[in-house]
Amino acid sequence: DDYNECTEDECIDDKCFNEPIPVSDYDLCTIDYCSEGEVYNVPVECDDYDECTVDSCDSETGICDYEQIDCDDGTVCTDDKCVDGLCEHSHIDCDDYDECTIDTCHCESGCLHSTKNCDDGDACTDDVCDSYHGCVNEPIDCSDDDECTDDDCEPTVGCIYSTTDCTDDDECTNEDCDPDWGCYTWHVKCDDENECTSDYCDCETGTLVILRQEFAITSKSIVMMVLCVLMISVSMDCVSIVTSIVMIMMSVRLIHATVNRDVSIQ
């Protein structure tokens, strides 16, 4: 007896044998020993103090293995990682910094960048996209460089061109339009080529008005006519002079009887 509880003591052929008690569990990941007759198989310490690893030991080699915790959520659109033993899944950044694309992510294929539709549904705008500012909807230019058309735009159809109204509400003018200068007018010709009339146009009705020139018969004009006759007939006898005066008086009465009036011609 060697007084060691972890040995087996025996005597063979007068010889003492103190063999250690078998403690091996044939597992290289344990530390085997005996204490006070008790066998202990203590696991090897493989803890790396990292909460994001699964710590283990290979029983055949005795080597510790540290495997990262699998935080993969099965989508490529997240950045998967372990923090303090807990998995976190943050969305990846698919922004291409182009305001003309719509940036999305597909769980299998990853980031996608589709062209942004800038059509505002208005036929009166030119729809384009600027990479820095995004959609720009500028009004289109409907000018046809024709001063005889009114240029407008209808959101559903686009540019519309209607003929310019050159009417000036004056019946005594003619109106027309020149593509370069626009509307112009000229007065209606009212001249009847008669020097004995005053011709003008009524601007409200367009009527041609002709006024006959009046001949004023006054006592002064009669005296002048008589003197003129007397001067011509100095060599005439009394009968001829009397006859001339009578004819002049008859002419004066006839003239007074035919006083002129205004006449309107449509």
Side-chain angles (χ1 to χ4, degrees):
D1 187 359
D2 59 359
Y3 304 102
N4 184 351
E5 296 180 355
C6 290
T7 61
E8 292 180 351
D9 307 324
E10 64 179 342
C11 182
I12 300 175
D13 298 332
D14 297 328
K15 290 183 179 181
C16 291
F17 294 93
N18 308 102
E19 294 291 334
I21 296 174
V23 296
S24 177
D25 59 359
Y26 303 102
D27 185 348
L28 296 180
C29 289
T30 60
I31 299 173
D32 309 323
Y33 65 94
C34 178
S35 176
E36 296 180 354
E38 294 291 336
V39 175
Y40 296 93
N41 307 103
V42 181
V44 173
E45 179 64 58
C46 285
D47 189 0
D48 61 357
Y49 302 100
D50 184 349
E51 295 182 358
C52 289
T53 60
V54 178
D55 308 328
S56 62
C57 181
D58 189 332
S59 60
E60 295 182 355
T61 63
I63 299 175
C64 289
D65 182 55
Y66 307 100
E67 182 180 356
Q68 291 289 327
I69 293 177
D70 184 10
C71 287
D72 187 4
D73 59 359
T75 172
V76 298
C77 293
T78 57
D79 184 16
D80 309 321
K81 61 182 178 180
C82 178
V83 178
D84 297 331
L86 298 176
C87 288
E88 294 183 354
H89 311 282
S90 58
H91 290 283
I92 62 175
D93 185 9
C94 287
D95 189 359
D96 60 358
Y97 302 100
D98 185 346
E99 293 297 327
C100 293
T101 60
I102 299 175
D103 309 321
T104 58
C105 189
H106 189 275
C107 61
E108 294 182 357
S109 56
C111 290
L112 300 175
H113 310 284
S114 57
T115 302
K116 186 179 293 184
N117 182 14
C118 288
D119 186 2
D120 60 358
D122 188 341
C124 294
T125 59
D126 185 15
D127 309 321
V128 296
C129 192
D130 182 271
S131 295
Y132 294 101
H133 302 96
C135 290
V136 180
N137 309 103
E138 294 287 347
I140 61 175
D141 182 11
C142 285
S143 176
D144 59 358
D145 296 322
D146 186 343
E147 295 296 328
C148 294
T149 60
D150 292 328
D151 309 330
D152 200 358
C153 193
E154 176 63 42
T156 57
V157 296
C159 292
I160 298 175
Y161 305 98
S162 57
T163 303
T164 300
D165 183 10
C166 291
T167 303
D168 62 357
D169 296 324
D170 186 343
E171 296 296 332
C172 292
T173 59
N174 291 320
E175 304 90 6
D176 204 348
C177 191
D178 182 274
D180 294 325
W181 301 98
C183 292
Y184 64 93
T185 61
W186 69 94
H187 288 284
V188 174
K189 183 179 180 181
C190 289
D191 188 1
D192 63 354
E193 299 181 358
N194 184 349
E195 296 297 332
C196 292
T197 59
S198 296
D199 311 324
Y200 71 92
C201 182
D202 188 324
C203 62
E204 294 184 358
T205 64
T207 301
L208 171 62
V209 179
I210 301 175
L211 300 178
R212 291 195 181 94
Q213 300 286 349
E214 292 186 355
F215 180 73
I217 304 300
T218 63
S219 58
K220 181 179 180 180
S221 61
I222 294 175
V223 172
M224 293 299 295
M225 293 174 64
V226 171
L227 291 176
C228 183
V229 170
L230 291 176
M231 290 177 64
I232 296 174
S233 57
V234 172
S235 60
M236 297 175 62
D237 56 21
C238 291
V239 175
S240 298
I241 294 174
V242 172
T243 301
S244 297
I245 292 175
V246 171
M247 291 179 64
I248 290 173
M249 296 301 297
M250 291 179 64
S251 297
V252 170
R253 288 181 180 180
L254 181 60
I255 292 173
H256 276 290
T258 57
V259 175
N260 294 312
R261 296 180 181 177
D262 293 348
V263 178
S264 295
I265 300 177
Q266 300 296 330

